């Protein structure tokens, strides 16, 4: 939830706690998550780069073409890709645990 101001509103936090109970991971959640940790966030280490590569391989000539490319790029994310991302999250979290939450370098 860190870095997403709407999630800091008390009514939203209460809704999240009520809905997800002990499954909340994030800033001041039931399970703490290191703040500003793009290396542990699949949106940061996978999705945004993948989307940009697909959408902007060439400059979209129109706004509608941009929308179409974004839709197509989202649809192209396969279950196999998500499985690999999930395994990568596990690997990165393990490295974070070994580093006791301190900075660590991820080798590819």
């Amino acid at each position: 939830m860190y870095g997403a101001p709407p999630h800091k509103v008390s009514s939203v936090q209460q809704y999240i706690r009520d809905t997800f109970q002990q499954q909340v991971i994030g800033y001041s959640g039931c399970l703490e998550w290191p703040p500003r940790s793009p290396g542990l966030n699949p949106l940061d280490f996978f999705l945004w780069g993948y989307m940009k590569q697909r959408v902007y391989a060439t400059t979209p000539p129109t706004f509608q073409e941009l929308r179409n490319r974004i839709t197509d790029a989202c649809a192209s994310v396969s279950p196999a890709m998500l499985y690999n991302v999930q395994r990568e999250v596990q690997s990165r979290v393990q490295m974070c645990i070994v580093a006791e939450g301190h900075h660590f370098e991820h080798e590819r």
Side-chain angles (χ1 to χ4, degrees), residues 27-63:
Y27 183 71
S28 299
C30 298
L31 303 170
E32 286 295 322
W33 195 257
R36 293 180 227 101
S37 54
L40 299 177
N41 183 339
L43 297 177
D44 288 329
F45 77 75
F46 164 70
L47 188 63
W48 301 141
Y50 175 79
M51 295 291 290
K52 286 169 79 172
Q53 182 181 27
R54 299 277 307 215
V55 171
Y56 294 107
T58 59
T59 303
T62 65
F63 180 71

Side-chain angles (χ1 to χ4, degrees), residues 39-107:
L40 299 177
N41 183 339
L43 297 177
D44 288 329
F45 77 75
F46 164 70
L47 188 63
W48 301 141
Y50 175 79
M51 295 291 290
K52 286 169 79 172
Q53 182 181 27
R54 299 277 307 215
V55 171
Y56 294 107
T58 59
T59 303
T62 65
F63 180 71
Q64 186 58 48
E65 179 60 20
L66 174 63
R67 289 178 61 130
N68 292 343
R69 289 185 190 187
I70 292 170
T71 300
D72 292 345
C74 289
S76 73
V77 176
S78 70
M81 293 168 74
L82 295 176
Y83 176 78
N84 289 336
V85 169
Q86 180 263 334
R87 289 185 50 131
E88 183 67 23
V89 169
Q90 289 177 329
S91 171
R92 290 172 182 232
V93 167
Q94 185 60 39
M95 285 186 273
C96 185
I97 290 168
V98 168
E100 296 181 339
H102 297 285
H103 178 78
F104 64 91
E105 292 294 325
H106 178 260
E107 302 284 330

